[in-house]
Amino acid sequence: MRRRSRSVLAVESLDNRLVPAVSLQFDYSLDANGFFADASRRTALEQAGAELVSRLDTDFAAIAPAGGNTWSLLLNNPSSGEQTEIKNPTVPADTIVVYVGAYNLDAAEAGEGGFGGYKAGGDSDWLNLVKTRGAAGFSLWGGSIAFDLDLNWNFSANAPARGQTDFYTVATHELGHLLGIGTAPQYFNLVSGNTFTGANATAANGGDPLRLSTDHSHLVQGTQDHGAEASLQPRIVSGKRYGFTNIDYAVLQDIGWTASETATSPPTATAPITSAAPAGWTTVTSDLVALSQPGGSVQLFRQNAANQLVPVGAVYSPFGETASAVRSAIADVTGDGNPDLVFAAGPGAGSQVRVIDGQTGAPVGGTFSAFESSYTGGLFVTAADVDRDGHADVVVTPDQGGGGRVVVFSFATGEPKVIANFFGIDDMQFRGGARVAAEDINGDGAADLIVGAGFGGGPRVAIFDGSTVATGTPKKFVNDFFAFSGPDLAGLRNGIYIAAGDLNGDGKAEVIFGGGPGGGPRITVLDGATLTQNPVAAVASPWANFFAFDAAQRGGVRPAVRDVDRDGRLDLVVGSGEQLPAAIRVYTAANGTPGNGLQAGYYTEPFGDTPIADGIYVG
């Protein structure tokens, strides 16, 4: 949604009122294409506007030209985009006038809005009134918003269906620009580098400045507040509804507006509903497989009666539409005995983490960043019960550009709490990131952590005793080792992907290693019982060792462990790597005999045969 540079009102602080002072007056006189001829569309716009300003307060003087005191409004015509002049209108007190209409906007533009300019003549009092309308001295009579004429719009009070563009979402977004977000000089005065540094916005974001999109007029895609999508992101996703969050209001406060007491989520039915299941939500069960898709979305799959993986439920975009991959895990984070969804953002989307209740679709603990705001390299994620409290803990490591740090979050109280933060790779200078799995290898009931080097590192592995992780001094079972045997394999420098699970049924998790990007699709499975005692022996005689796909491929391979066929035994699910079509192959645990304990199952390309730059991630 393109923006126009205009100025905006700043206001003084007033006491709380039951009826807000700010009133939006929508003017349909320039709606030459009849977009708002339907009264229901006007009602939808006016309700969206009234809700947005319900938390804003100020006093505006009336602008009433008379005698030699004249003025003209200057605005972009909302039905053509051309500069338009309106001579000598009267603007009532405490009112902002918004001219609205629609025409065919540029591709990918749903709306275009901003505040208007003016020209005036007359005595000094009159000129000062027009120039400094509003207590804080900014000029704001209003502005204009143009909507795209031909989109499949949702004008209802309910969330849109998939494929629809939500009118409420676009209207409130464009009103935010009209009020100065991404358009006013006062906004850009608080932009530093790629962040917005206003004190209110920083506080609302947990103490970190807000990251901005490349145009600096929007918050970075994926910005959320307590699980609610922020309004002023650059792109909206069809089928979803966003509204103003505390973060959006905090930006308004920083540029001069006064907002009433903040809430933890949008307050009304027309704002995003984060406590209810998303449209098309399916209850998460232990047999489901989560597969990442291009565009920052995830689709759940289940095996059907014909032993094929088929999609179930809606496509889910945990961080909004983004070019980065999403990594996921499925585990019982809430402690209710049912699996939940855990998402982590990939490269380019910071270090965002989000947990979704698998039974309700509601967010758990809100979206948060695992690392400092300056880090944008993305995360790898797993989840398992490290501290033996009945709640799966969320374990994250950085991707490329980060060190070998491991951070463990407990959600036992419903909010994320760091219970461990340490370096899993004993090389403080290494910046290829790390990859992690968590399962109980030694059978003591605590999930142990298996940490492998990321890109640029060899297939080096460290294993930490889960019972010691939360003590502040995590201890290793054995010395670090290379996951693959042989001089050629040990010399690889593309890292490894890791999964873990009890494939042979002895109560101790096997550890599965997949080749990193640039390497072949080799899968090596090491017996857990042997591994904690003698990793050299385990690597020399792996429980399984094979190529999951064509051995000539060089995108690596990503493993995960799920009970896909619902027989009570875990299965191995592998996904293809970089620059290849998204391919999945399932291996069932046929028996517990080392060397042939996995039986090759079916193959599928769930998203077609188009190569995917970052490959597919399985959770």
Side-chain angles (χ1 to χ4, degrees), residues 270-580:
T270 55
I273 301 173
T274 59
S275 61
W281 180 258
T282 186
T283 300
V284 179
T285 52
S286 60
D287 62 309
L288 291 178
V289 177
L291 302 182
S292 63
Q293 296 188 95
S297 61
V298 176
Q299 174 71 65
L300 296 176
F301 284 78
R302 173 180 284 127
Q303 180 174 298
N304 63 12
N307 293 329
Q308 299 170 324
L309 282 183
V310 294
V312 294
V315 174
Y316 195 57
S317 300
F319 307 110
E321 185 179 10
T322 173
S324 72
V326 173
R327 284 78 183 256
S328 58
I330 299 177
D332 180 16
V333 176
T334 60
D336 64 357
N338 300 296
D340 307 301
L341 291 174
V342 182
F343 300 111
S351 60
Q352 298 180 93
V353 180
R354 190 175 194 186
V355 177
I356 301 297
D357 188 309
Q359 300 302 293
T360 68
V364 179
T367 302
F368 65 95
S369 294
F371 299 124
E372 62 276 6
S373 59
S374 61
Y375 174 71
T376 61
L379 302 172
F380 287 99
V381 66
T382 190
D385 189 0
V386 175
D387 56 6
R388 293 182 284 200
D389 66 351
H391 295 255
D393 306 295
V394 175
V395 186
V396 300
T397 53
D399 200 344
Q400 292 187 49
R405 186 173 292 278
V406 179
V407 183
V408 184
F409 296 91
S410 169
F411 282 77
T413 64
E415 296 290 334
K417 176 185 177 182
V418 175
I419 61 172
N421 186 345
F422 62 96
F423 279 94
I425 301 295
D426 289 334
D427 183 350
M428 300 292 285
Q429 304 305 314
F430 181 64
R431 285 295 178 269
R435 298 158 191 160
V436 64
E439 284 296 338
D440 182 10
I441 300 176
N442 66 348
D444 68 352
D448 307 303
L449 301 186
I450 309 100
V451 184
F455 192 80
R460 176 177 174 175
V461 181
I463 302 180
F464 294 87
D465 183 346
S467 66
T468 70
V469 166
T471 66
T473 55
K475 300 184 184 307
K476 297 179 181 180
F477 283 125
V478 292
N479 292 330
D480 293 4
F481 61 94
F482 282 133
F484 304 133
S485 62
D488 294 336
L489 293 174
L492 291 174
R493 287 294 179 268
N494 47 24
I496 49 174
Y497 293 107
I498 310 175
D502 183 11
L503 296 175
N504 63 12
D506 67 352
K508 299 178 181 180
E510 276 59 63
V511 178
I512 302 99
F513 300 110
R522 178 179 293 278
I523 289 289
T524 295
V525 183
L526 304 185
D527 176 66
T530 305
L531 188 59
T532 57
Q533 302 299 319
N534 189 339
V536 175
V539 172
S541 299
W543 193 75
N545 189 28
F546 58 93
F547 286 103
F549 302 108
D550 184 345
Q553 293 179 355
R554 284 297 178 266
V557 61
R558 289 79 180 265
V561 177
R562 312 291 304 153
D563 181 14
V564 177
D565 55 8
R566 298 180 290 279
D567 66 351
R569 297 187 62 180
L570 294 175
D571 308 302
L572 176 62
V573 185
V574 294
S576 56
E578 296 179 350
Q579 305 298 332
L580 297 166

Side-chain angles (χ1 to χ4, degrees), residues 1-3 105-112 147-148 151 153 174:
M1 289 175 270
R2 190 175 63 246
R3 307 293 161 243
L105 299 180
D106 293 342
E109 296 283 349
E112 182 177 298
F147 296 91
D148 189 82
L151 288 180
W153 289 102
E174 300 303 337

Side-chain angles (χ1 to χ4, degrees), residues 62-74:
I63 304 179
N69 293 328
T70 63
W71 76 314
S72 292
L73 308 184
L74 303 176

